[in-house]
Amino acid sequence: MRIPETELQERRERLLEHVRREGLSGYVLVGADYIQYFTGFWFLSNERPVIYAESAGGESAVFVPEFEVERTRAEASFARIESYPEYPGIEHPMAIFARVLADLGIRGAIGADNDGYPGILGYEGPALSSVTGASVAQLGGVIEGMMRRKSENEIALIRESGRWCAHAHRLLQEYSRPGATEAEASLRAGQEATLAMLAELGEVGGLSSSAGASAGYRGQIGLRSSWAHAVAHDIEFRVGDVLVTETSAPIWGYNAELERAMIIGPPTDEMRRLFDHTVASQQAAFAAIRPGATCADVDGAVMRYLEENDLLRYWRQHTGHGIGLRNHEAPFLDVGDPTRLEPGMVFTIEPGLYDGAIGGFRHSDTIVVTEDGMDVLTDYPSDIESLTIPA
């Protein structure tokens, strides 16, 4: 249940082919997601730089703070591990890293996802171009292009994530009852789903202590459900509330997304109307997904449905986004994105309708584009009867 080393090696070779074609001396990766994508290395990203570098000739090294060396040696298989004492240190880590690059033969023009370590958690430091005196060619676009089409192994991990999202959602739905609170329902669901996932699968990427399976509402309860992105307030559930859920269950870093609108107690006629149109608008998106169609085509199909049914006043957001190692990835199912769909692209499909006087309604499922259409990677009921919680 993880990406095999052969696939990681193939990814690095593809990036090296680009580096060589561009006449670059090598490449540098400072983004945690990119390092994981190309090497499978897990680490806590903070103000201390962790950097991966590979020369055009194929010599590579990972650069970590000294206290990470022992763990890196035990849990990864890098050919070479270089380190620095601490950040900021007497000598800045980037100055030390410049010598590592020179020793690897990475001089002159360098490819990188960023010109230096990004400014996170208070980090400050010189640019890569400054410490090396080299020009830096941006590789972010190339890497994002590689990440857009998922391999069979990646799709399998996302599908497994979807399975556990559904398990967490079932628990959340069970524990969301009038008188209970958002925290009670979500914490119980997340804990039980995480423990069940670990019992069945074992290790799923070192996340069980902080980011296992989860399910909750992010504050989208009652009238707050009409806010497409709210924040949690430990709200008590009441009869008549409209709820919008969210779930997560990363499997070796890969994510599916499963969300549903639910209602506590019998739905009103207007709730039922908006709920049914939410389901239908998602179906309009599904019908538009095929290789060769554009992201704009898919969002446009939803927008046409909303316009034809006089629903545009309830619209707040585009139809969906890419998903994989990150919860949000490019491309975006938006009328402004002309990217053509290709087999292996994975998206969330989540059109929603939001009425400030009633609540919000959004179903999200994760799909993969196939040779002849699409395949849904999440599986959970979407009908109003199944998603009505007893009062």
mmCIF file of all heavy atoms in Angstrom, residues 267-304:
data_model
loop_
_atom_site.group_PDB
_atom_site.id
_atom_site.type_symbol
_atom_site.label_atom_id
_atom_site.label_comp_id
_atom_site.label_asym_id
_atom_site.label_seq_id
_atom_site.Cartn_x
_atom_site.Cartn_y
_atom_site.Cartn_z
ATOM 1 N N PRO A 267 -36.881 16.902 6.280
ATOM 2 C CA PRO A 267 -36.536 18.083 5.481
ATOM 3 C C PRO A 267 -37.785 18.846 5.048
ATOM 4 O O PRO A 267 -38.842 18.251 4.787
ATOM 5 C CB PRO A 267 -35.826 17.488 4.269
ATOM 6 C CG PRO A 267 -36.333 16.087 4.166
ATOM 7 C CD PRO A 267 -36.604 15.645 5.570
ATOM 8 N N THR A 268 -37.656 20.164 4.985
ATOM 9 C CA THR A 268 -38.734 20.974 4.426
ATOM 10 C C THR A 268 -38.757 20.818 2.911
ATOM 11 O O THR A 268 -37.811 20.277 2.307
ATOM 12 C CB THR A 268 -38.533 22.455 4.774
ATOM 13 O OG1 THR A 268 -37.345 22.928 4.119
ATOM 14 C CG2 THR A 268 -38.402 22.649 6.288
ATOM 15 N N ASP A 269 -39.797 21.310 2.278
ATOM 16 C CA ASP A 269 -39.878 21.236 0.820
ATOM 17 C C ASP A 269 -38.719 21.984 0.168
ATOM 18 O O ASP A 269 -38.161 21.522 -0.836
ATOM 19 C CB ASP A 269 -41.211 21.811 0.333
ATOM 20 C CG ASP A 269 -42.401 20.924 0.679
ATOM 21 O OD1 ASP A 269 -42.179 19.740 1.032
ATOM 22 O OD2 ASP A 269 -43.545 21.419 0.603
ATOM 23 N N GLU A 270 -38.336 23.136 0.727
ATOM 24 C CA GLU A 270 -37.255 23.907 0.130
ATOM 25 C C GLU A 270 -35.914 23.208 0.338
ATOM 26 O O GLU A 270 -35.043 23.226 -0.545
ATOM 27 C CB GLU A 270 -37.216 25.319 0.718
ATOM 28 C CG GLU A 270 -36.194 26.255 0.074
ATOM 29 C CD GLU A 270 -36.444 26.534 -1.396
ATOM 30 O OE1 GLU A 270 -37.496 26.109 -1.937
ATOM 31 O OE2 GLU A 270 -35.585 27.179 -2.020
ATOM 32 N N MET A 271 -35.711 22.598 1.486
ATOM 33 C CA MET A 271 -34.498 21.804 1.702
ATOM 34 C C MET A 271 -34.413 20.677 0.684
ATOM 35 O O MET A 271 -33.367 20.429 0.084
ATOM 36 C CB MET A 271 -34.486 21.226 3.121
ATOM 37 C CG MET A 271 -34.233 22.212 4.227
ATOM 38 S SD MET A 271 -34.356 21.388 5.854
ATOM 39 C CE MET A 271 -34.049 22.769 6.967
ATOM 40 N N ARG A 272 -35.525 20.000 0.507
ATOM 41 C CA ARG A 272 -35.549 18.885 -0.445
ATOM 42 C C ARG A 272 -35.260 19.387 -1.863
ATOM 43 O O ARG A 272 -34.550 18.737 -2.622
ATOM 44 C CB ARG A 272 -36.898 18.177 -0.379
ATOM 45 C CG ARG A 272 -36.998 16.932 -1.237
ATOM 46 C CD ARG A 272 -38.365 16.273 -1.078
ATOM 47 N NE ARG A 272 -38.546 15.746 0.267
ATOM 48 C CZ ARG A 272 -38.141 14.544 0.655
ATOM 49 N NH1 ARG A 272 -37.515 13.744 -0.209
ATOM 50 N NH2 ARG A 272 -38.354 14.131 1.890
ATOM 51 N N ARG A 273 -35.818 20.538 -2.229
ATOM 52 C CA ARG A 273 -35.586 21.081 -3.567
ATOM 53 C C ARG A 273 -34.104 21.370 -3.800
ATOM 54 O O ARG A 273 -33.529 20.966 -4.820
ATOM 55 C CB ARG A 273 -36.403 22.360 -3.756
ATOM 56 C CG ARG A 273 -36.297 22.968 -5.161
ATOM 57 C CD ARG A 273 -37.124 24.236 -5.268
ATOM 58 N NE ARG A 273 -36.458 25.371 -4.659
ATOM 59 C CZ ARG A 273 -35.614 26.193 -5.301
ATOM 60 N NH1 ARG A 273 -35.327 25.972 -6.582
ATOM 61 N NH2 ARG A 273 -35.069 27.211 -4.676
ATOM 62 N N LEU A 274 -33.470 22.068 -2.863
ATOM 63 C CA LEU A 274 -32.056 22.397 -3.024
ATOM 64 C C LEU A 274 -31.189 21.142 -2.965
ATOM 65 O O LEU A 274 -30.188 21.037 -3.682
ATOM 66 C CB LEU A 274 -31.631 23.407 -1.960
ATOM 67 C CG LEU A 274 -32.247 24.804 -2.102
ATOM 68 C CD1 LEU A 274 -31.841 25.693 -0.931
ATOM 69 C CD2 LEU A 274 -31.845 25.455 -3.420
ATOM 70 N N PHE A 275 -31.561 20.207 -2.112
ATOM 71 C CA PHE A 275 -30.815 18.949 -2.024
ATOM 72 C C PHE A 275 -30.868 18.216 -3.367
ATOM 73 O O PHE A 275 -29.841 17.768 -3.892
ATOM 74 C CB PHE A 275 -31.412 18.071 -0.921
ATOM 75 C CG PHE A 275 -30.604 16.843 -0.599
ATOM 76 C CD1 PHE A 275 -29.808 16.800 0.537
ATOM 77 C CD2 PHE A 275 -30.641 15.721 -1.416
ATOM 78 C CE1 PHE A 275 -29.065 15.673 0.851
ATOM 79 C CE2 PHE A 275 -29.904 14.593 -1.119
ATOM 80 C CZ PHE A 275 -29.116 14.567 0.014
ATOM 81 N N ASP A 276 -32.041 18.088 -3.931
ATOM 82 C CA ASP A 276 -32.189 17.360 -5.194
ATOM 83 C C ASP A 276 -31.423 18.041 -6.328
ATOM 84 O O ASP A 276 -30.814 17.361 -7.169
ATOM 85 C CB ASP A 276 -33.667 17.239 -5.559
ATOM 86 C CG ASP A 276 -34.423 16.284 -4.642
ATOM 87 O OD1 ASP A 276 -33.760 15.515 -3.913
ATOM 88 O OD2 ASP A 276 -35.668 16.313 -4.664
ATOM 89 N N HIS A 277 -31.431 19.367 -6.349
ATOM 90 C CA HIS A 277 -30.677 20.078 -7.385
ATOM 91 C C HIS A 277 -29.168 19.918 -7.182
ATOM 92 O O HIS A 277 -28.405 19.898 -8.154
ATOM 93 C CB HIS A 277 -31.056 21.558 -7.399
ATOM 94 C CG HIS A 277 -32.323 21.853 -8.142
ATOM 95 N ND1 HIS A 277 -32.506 21.504 -9.460
ATOM 96 C CD2 HIS A 277 -33.468 22.486 -7.738
ATOM 97 C CE1 HIS A 277 -33.702 21.903 -9.857
ATOM 98 N NE2 HIS A 277 -34.314 22.490 -8.830
ATOM 99 N N THR A 278 -28.735 19.811 -5.929
ATOM 100 C CA THR A 278 -27.309 19.567 -5.670
ATOM 101 C C THR A 278 -26.879 18.232 -6.270
ATOM 102 O O THR A 278 -25.842 18.142 -6.935
ATOM 103 C CB THR A 278 -27.036 19.579 -4.153
ATOM 104 O OG1 THR A 278 -27.342 20.870 -3.632
ATOM 105 C CG2 THR A 278 -25.580 19.245 -3.864
ATOM 106 N N VAL A 279 -27.684 17.202 -6.035
ATOM 107 C CA VAL A 279 -27.386 15.887 -6.609
ATOM 108 C C VAL A 279 -27.392 15.959 -8.132
ATOM 109 O O VAL A 279 -26.501 15.420 -8.803
ATOM 110 C CB VAL A 279 -28.394 14.841 -6.099
ATOM 111 C CG1 VAL A 279 -28.190 13.504 -6.807
ATOM 112 C CG2 VAL A 279 -28.257 14.659 -4.590
ATOM 113 N N ALA A 280 -28.374 16.635 -8.696
ATOM 114 C CA ALA A 280 -28.483 16.720 -10.155
ATOM 115 C C ALA A 280 -27.321 17.509 -10.757
ATOM 116 O O ALA A 280 -26.833 17.166 -11.845
ATOM 117 C CB ALA A 280 -29.817 17.359 -10.537
ATOM 118 N N SER A 281 -26.873 18.557 -10.086
ATOM 119 C CA SER A 281 -25.755 19.335 -10.623
ATOM 120 C C SER A 281 -24.469 18.506 -10.606
ATOM 121 O O SER A 281 -23.634 18.622 -11.514
ATOM 122 C CB SER A 281 -25.574 20.632 -9.838
ATOM 123 O OG SER A 281 -25.205 20.385 -8.492
ATOM 124 N N GLN A 282 -24.314 17.655 -9.595
ATOM 125 C CA GLN A 282 -23.154 16.767 -9.583
ATOM 126 C C GLN A 282 -23.240 15.764 -10.730
ATOM 127 O O GLN A 282 -22.233 15.468 -11.388
ATOM 128 C CB GLN A 282 -23.042 16.040 -8.247
ATOM 129 C CG GLN A 282 -21.712 15.307 -8.079
ATOM 130 C CD GLN A 282 -21.674 14.453 -6.825
ATOM 131 O OE1 GLN A 282 -22.603 13.697 -6.541
ATOM 132 N NE2 GLN A 282 -20.580 14.550 -6.071
ATOM 133 N N GLN A 283 -24.424 15.279 -11.011
ATOM 134 C CA GLN A 283 -24.617 14.361 -12.129
ATOM 135 C C GLN A 283 -24.305 15.049 -13.458
ATOM 136 O O GLN A 283 -23.768 14.430 -14.387
ATOM 137 C CB GLN A 283 -26.047 13.823 -12.138
ATOM 138 C CG GLN A 283 -26.358 12.874 -10.996
ATOM 139 C CD GLN A 283 -25.507 11.609 -11.016
ATOM 140 O OE1 GLN A 283 -25.241 11.050 -12.081
ATOM 141 N NE2 GLN A 283 -25.075 11.167 -9.844
ATOM 142 N N ALA A 284 -24.616 16.331 -13.578
ATOM 143 C CA ALA A 284 -24.280 17.083 -14.793
ATOM 144 C C ALA A 284 -22.770 17.137 -14.976
ATOM 145 O O ALA A 284 -22.260 17.035 -16.106
ATOM 146 C CB ALA A 284 -24.865 18.493 -14.711
ATOM 147 N N ALA A 285 -22.043 17.294 -13.883
ATOM 148 C CA ALA A 285 -20.580 17.294 -13.962
ATOM 149 C C ALA A 285 -20.069 15.924 -14.376
ATOM 150 O O ALA A 285 -19.206 15.810 -15.258
ATOM 151 C CB ALA A 285 -19.978 17.701 -12.620
ATOM 152 N N PHE A 286 -20.597 14.872 -13.747
ATOM 153 C CA PHE A 286 -20.172 13.513 -14.099
ATOM 154 C C PHE A 286 -20.346 13.261 -15.603
ATOM 155 O O PHE A 286 -19.479 12.687 -16.261
ATOM 156 C CB PHE A 286 -21.000 12.483 -13.330
ATOM 157 C CG PHE A 286 -20.689 12.377 -11.862
ATOM 158 C CD1 PHE A 286 -21.622 11.827 -10.991
ATOM 159 C CD2 PHE A 286 -19.481 12.808 -11.344
ATOM 160 C CE1 PHE A 286 -21.350 11.708 -9.637
ATOM 161 C CE2 PHE A 286 -19.199 12.699 -9.992
ATOM 162 C CZ PHE A 286 -20.139 12.151 -9.134
ATOM 163 N N ALA A 287 -21.480 13.682 -16.148
ATOM 164 C CA ALA A 287 -21.775 13.417 -17.549
ATOM 165 C C ALA A 287 -20.828 14.140 -18.494
ATOM 166 O O ALA A 287 -20.640 13.707 -19.643
ATOM 167 C CB ALA A 287 -23.222 13.824 -17.850
ATOM 168 N N ALA A 288 -20.195 15.223 -18.019
ATOM 169 C CA ALA A 288 -19.304 16.014 -18.875
ATOM 170 C C ALA A 288 -17.863 15.535 -18.837
ATOM 171 O O ALA A 288 -17.031 16.009 -19.626
ATOM 172 C CB ALA A 288 -19.368 17.482 -18.458
ATOM 173 N N ILE A 289 -17.546 14.607 -17.956
ATOM 174 C CA ILE A 289 -16.154 14.193 -17.774
ATOM 175 C C ILE A 289 -15.788 13.096 -18.765
ATOM 176 O O ILE A 289 -16.398 12.028 -18.786
ATOM 177 C CB ILE A 289 -15.917 13.713 -16.330
ATOM 178 C CG1 ILE A 289 -16.132 14.875 -15.357
ATOM 179 C CG2 ILE A 289 -14.508 13.138 -16.174
ATOM 180 C CD1 ILE A 289 -16.148 14.456 -13.908
ATOM 181 N N ARG A 290 -14.789 13.376 -19.568
ATOM 182 C CA ARG A 290 -14.262 12.411 -20.536
ATOM 183 C C ARG A 290 -12.933 12.937 -21.036
ATOM 184 O O ARG A 290 -12.699 14.150 -21.035
ATOM 185 C CB ARG A 290 -15.238 12.222 -21.706
ATOM 186 C CG ARG A 290 -15.471 13.474 -22.505
ATOM 187 C CD ARG A 290 -16.569 13.300 -23.547
ATOM 188 N NE ARG A 290 -16.728 14.533 -24.327
ATOM 189 C CZ ARG A 290 -17.433 15.576 -23.925
ATOM 190 N NH1 ARG A 290 -18.038 15.548 -22.743
ATOM 191 N NH2 ARG A 290 -17.540 16.639 -24.683
ATOM 192 N N PRO A 291 -12.035 12.076 -21.487
ATOM 193 C CA PRO A 291 -10.769 12.549 -22.038
ATOM 194 C C PRO A 291 -11.010 13.501 -23.207
ATOM 195 O O PRO A 291 -11.886 13.262 -24.051
ATOM 196 C CB PRO A 291 -10.085 11.261 -22.505
ATOM 197 C CG PRO A 291 -10.697 10.191 -21.682
ATOM 198 C CD PRO A 291 -12.123 10.606 -21.473
ATOM 199 N N GLY A 292 -10.255 14.579 -23.238
ATOM 200 C CA GLY A 292 -10.393 15.562 -24.302
ATOM 201 C C GLY A 292 -11.269 16.725 -23.946
ATOM 202 O O GLY A 292 -11.116 17.823 -24.502
ATOM 203 N N ALA A 293 -12.235 16.526 -23.042
ATOM 204 C CA ALA A 293 -13.007 17.659 -22.542
ATOM 205 C C ALA A 293 -12.081 18.527 -21.705
ATOM 206 O O ALA A 293 -11.019 18.086 -21.251
ATOM 207 C CB ALA A 293 -14.183 17.169 -21.707
ATOM 208 N N THR A 294 -12.448 19.764 -21.491
ATOM 209 C CA THR A 294 -11.629 20.654 -20.679
ATOM 210 C C THR A 294 -12.232 20.799 -19.285
ATOM 211 O O THR A 294 -13.420 20.509 -19.059
ATOM 212 C CB THR A 294 -11.505 22.041 -21.317
ATOM 213 O OG1 THR A 294 -12.802 22.681 -21.300
ATOM 214 C CG2 THR A 294 -10.987 21.944 -22.742
ATOM 215 N N CYS A 295 -11.404 21.291 -18.377
ATOM 216 C CA CYS A 295 -11.912 21.606 -17.034
ATOM 217 C C CYS A 295 -13.057 22.612 -17.138
ATOM 218 O O CYS A 295 -14.057 22.514 -16.419
ATOM 219 C CB CYS A 295 -10.786 22.181 -16.185
ATOM 220 S SG CYS A 295 -9.516 20.987 -15.720
ATOM 221 N N ALA A 296 -12.908 23.580 -18.054
ATOM 222 C CA ALA A 296 -13.956 24.579 -18.250
ATOM 223 C C ALA A 296 -15.250 23.941 -18.733
ATOM 224 O O ALA A 296 -16.345 24.376 -18.358
ATOM 225 C CB ALA A 296 -13.489 25.640 -19.242
ATOM 226 N N ASP A 297 -15.147 22.894 -19.567
ATOM 227 C CA ASP A 297 -16.352 22.199 -20.047
ATOM 228 C C ASP A 297 -17.150 21.618 -18.876
ATOM 229 O O ASP A 297 -18.387 21.679 -18.854
ATOM 230 C CB ASP A 297 -15.977 21.069 -21.002
ATOM 231 C CG ASP A 297 -15.430 21.560 -22.324
ATOM 232 O OD1 ASP A 297 -15.737 22.707 -22.710
ATOM 233 O OD2 ASP A 297 -14.680 20.799 -22.962
ATOM 234 N N VAL A 298 -16.446 21.020 -17.922
ATOM 235 C CA VAL A 298 -17.122 20.374 -16.795
ATOM 236 C C VAL A 298 -17.818 21.416 -15.921
ATOM 237 O O VAL A 298 -19.000 21.281 -15.571
ATOM 238 C CB VAL A 298 -16.133 19.540 -15.963
ATOM 239 C CG1 VAL A 298 -16.836 18.891 -14.773
ATOM 240 C CG2 VAL A 298 -15.460 18.484 -16.826
ATOM 241 N N ASP A 299 -17.105 22.475 -15.584
ATOM 242 C CA ASP A 299 -17.715 23.528 -14.779
ATOM 243 C C ASP A 299 -18.834 24.210 -15.564
ATOM 244 O O ASP A 299 -19.879 24.566 -14.998
ATOM 245 C CB ASP A 299 -16.654 24.548 -14.370
ATOM 246 C CG ASP A 299 -17.110 25.442 -13.229
ATOM 247 O OD1 ASP A 299 -17.819 24.949 -12.320
ATOM 248 O OD2 ASP A 299 -16.767 26.638 -13.232
ATOM 249 N N GLY A 300 -18.627 24.356 -16.874
ATOM 250 C CA GLY A 300 -19.652 24.970 -17.704
ATOM 251 C C GLY A 300 -20.937 24.162 -17.727
ATOM 252 O O GLY A 300 -22.043 24.729 -17.758
ATOM 253 N N ALA A 301 -20.821 22.835 -17.713
ATOM 254 C CA ALA A 301 -22.022 21.991 -17.693
ATOM 255 C C ALA A 301 -22.820 22.223 -16.421
ATOM 256 O O ALA A 301 -24.054 22.259 -16.436
ATOM 257 C CB ALA A 301 -21.621 20.520 -17.814
ATOM 258 N N VAL A 302 -22.126 22.377 -15.300
ATOM 259 C CA VAL A 302 -22.810 22.662 -14.039
ATOM 260 C C VAL A 302 -23.446 24.049 -14.075
ATOM 261 O O VAL A 302 -24.601 24.239 -13.658
ATOM 262 C CB VAL A 302 -21.825 22.542 -12.858
ATOM 263 C CG1 VAL A 302 -22.471 23.022 -11.561
ATOM 264 C CG2 VAL A 302 -21.351 21.107 -12.706
ATOM 265 N N MET A 303 -22.703 25.029 -14.586
ATOM 266 C CA MET A 303 -23.239 26.388 -14.644
ATOM 267 C C MET A 303 -24.471 26.459 -15.532
ATOM 268 O O MET A 303 -25.429 27.174 -15.220
ATOM 269 C CB MET A 303 -22.160 27.351 -15.142
ATOM 270 C CG MET A 303 -20.946 27.466 -14.226
ATOM 271 S SD MET A 303 -21.364 28.019 -12.553
ATOM 272 C CE MET A 303 -21.785 29.727 -12.868
ATOM 273 N N ARG A 304 -24.487 25.708 -16.626
ATOM 274 C CA ARG A 304 -25.668 25.678 -17.485
ATOM 275 C C ARG A 304 -26.858 25.065 -16.756
ATOM 276 O O ARG A 304 -27.994 25.555 -16.873
ATOM 277 C CB ARG A 304 -25.375 24.900 -18.770
ATOM 278 C CG ARG A 304 -24.573 25.680 -19.795
ATOM 279 C CD ARG A 304 -24.578 24.983 -21.137
ATOM 280 N NE ARG A 304 -24.017 23.639 -21.079
ATOM 281 C CZ ARG A 304 -22.716 23.372 -21.142
ATOM 282 N NH1 ARG A 304 -21.834 24.366 -21.252
ATOM 283 N NH2 ARG A 304 -22.276 22.126 -21.095
#
